[in-house]
Amino acid sequence: MVQTVSTPAVIVDLDIAERNIRSMAEEARKAGIRHRPHIKSHKSVYFARKQLEAGSTGITCAKLGEAEVMAEAGIDDILIAFPIIGEDKQERLYQLAQKVKVTTVADSVEGATAVSEVGERLGRRIPLYIEVDGGIGRCGRQPGEDTLQFARRIQSLPGIEITGLLSYAGQIYGEESREEIRSTARQEAATLKNTADLLREAGIDIPVVSGGSSLSSKFAGELEGVTEIRAGNYIFHDVGQLSMGMITVDDCALRVITTVVSVPAPGRAIIDAGSKTLTTDTMPFSKGFGYIVEHPDIEIFKLNEEHGFLSYDPASVSLHIGQHLTIIPNHACVLPNLCDEIVGFRGGVPVEKIRIDARGKNS
Amino acid sequence: MVQTVSTPAVIVDLDIAERNIRSMAEEARKAGIRHRPHIKSHKSVYFARKQLEAGSTGITCAKLGEAEVMAEAGIDDILIAFPIIGEDKQERLYQLAQKVKVTTVADSVEGATAVSEVGERLGRRIPLYIEVDGGIGRCGRQPGEDTLQFARRIQSLPGIEITGLLSYAGQIYGEESREEIRSTARQEAATLKNTADLLREAGIDIPVVSGGSSLSSKFAGELEGVTEIRAGNYIFHDVGQLSMGMITVDDCALRVITTVVSVPAPGRAIIDAGSKTLTTDTMPFSKGFGYIVEHPDIEIFKLNEEHGFLSYDPASVSLHIGQHLTIIPNHACVLPNLCDEIVGFRGGVPVEKIRIDARGKNS
């Protein structure tokens, strides 16, 4: 039992998080798709294990640093969904791949060659996904012919084995309706499948087609041709998905408990959660810096590092100094990264501390 | 000597940081003002000691958590510039005040009473600054009569001693010219001095008038009546002050070394520093999410958590995979908080690791 929670406190409702884990696992199972959750959202061994127990086949990490922490904890099937560039990164990949099964990605000859050199040194081929631009304009080859040509160029590298295509259609978080989200999800899947088929016709085996986000996986049953999804945010959900109408407040597991510390004028109050707790991430379909559960009409209109500025109608809302408020953050994935640990609650009561093992492991 | 710096890496040029510390100390000394630097910018014992060695009289912390870490390291004169609200915070203040000299602030009867209760339990009066709204509309009483009335209400509380007025004129970071910045700095000082004089005339001794930011302290010699400044950001500087023309690139000590990991299209590149390294803080007079030293014309136009998106004119700039770039962050104070340690450089060479002792201590 946790005795005291000093605010601002980042907490997680464990019943909600576990329900989110179960329901995503079930959706993936029904759709016949493997789920390799992205641990960037929680960065904790505790939650990674819960995801694996629910049926996830390995995990996804953004960076080597996260993967090193997870491997150290005994998680043995890890995708690093980020290009391995630089000699220091090659050395770290070599060390890691000696311990666990690592798959990674490339979208350049330089990147594929770097991984291949590690494979040669290991004396075996490292599984590699070719990254395909899912429409967000981030990393990735263009779908179709460009990806095929790239596959042909790197195919003969001795230390890699092309085992899949991977994309991230991040633009889905800018779609305005459930139908648009569904359409973008289906389009990402179709583009990936068509490109995979093109490579297969050219004699390049592509067993894995890896796509999807927490949003697109709401339509897991419709993602024809996709064999693996990497949803991460779904474990917590946040204002991003809430303001798009894809979930309800009761699906949001990660919350910040804050205290009103000053009420300097009618309709204005200051809380002890600022940008160093909530981050300055905004969301396209929501005003301000978070959703206050007890008073959704209050706007968090500004943040300083340790202060949050609230505005509200004093005719309908009354706040007093010392009052606790509960905030659903705009973007859950960035909050645990600011903490060494977060507090797990059940039924409104703190029950355990959860270590954020891979906090700050950005390299 | 640090052997390897894996990117993205937050680094500090120690020669620049030390020059910034010396020059601020000198400005304050010339103006006859004490400097109590805000350690929120670096959150490290290493830099706090350098500031004290240069002549700072104590330090400023935003939260009890930061103060606890600094006290543990032997720093014995600490201002907590944030209201103490809640029984857990009172208990922590009690523990802290037994070890070191703590001054804190209040802008409400509830807050002043909370501190007074701690003082009563300690058997001595805790020095307290009344927080006055410096024009930012954050915490604080209104200058003049409202502050006087408030002082009268809390004056008889048995566990506090009113020793100063404190304000923060954060709106200075929105001023558009050197003259406007100067004018805002002078106005904050005048307002504080006038209010202090009002209280003094009413028989309330106000030895300390605490104001100022890194920007306003550029005019330290003109801040008549101010006895203490709390500049913090000046140790590193950042795009905020750079884009206002108040400093040059050579004054910016905190930098991020990043690697180009993908060049997916002409004029577009992806780096390995995203929002989990740079934060999504923006600055009013600058586009994008940081300033690239080698190519100031490149815009960091978007961040995902681990990816930065660059756009540039491919006719004049050429980037290649594996290339390192150096970024001056938009807002330096929020970056060390994302790291366990940052790397100190001298003459372009990594020389030591600096622990961010109070990282994440937001409560």
Side-chain angles (χ1 to χ4, degrees), chain B residues 243-260:
Chain B
S243 63
M244 295 165 97
M246 295 300 287
I247 54 156
T248 71
V249 166
D250 293 340
D251 297 319
C252 294
L254 196 82
R255 294 161 183 230
V256 172
I257 304 178
T258 183
T259 300
V260 175

Side-chain angles (χ1 to χ4, degrees), chain A residues 6 88 107 137 280-281 340 359, chain B residues 6 88 262 268 281 340 359:
Chain A
S6 242
D88 57 308
D107 70 346
T280 45
D281 281 23
D340 287 329
R359 189 208 60 70
Chain B
S6 243
D88 57 308
S262 181
R268 189 157 53 77
D281 281 23
D340 287 330
R359 190 207 59 70

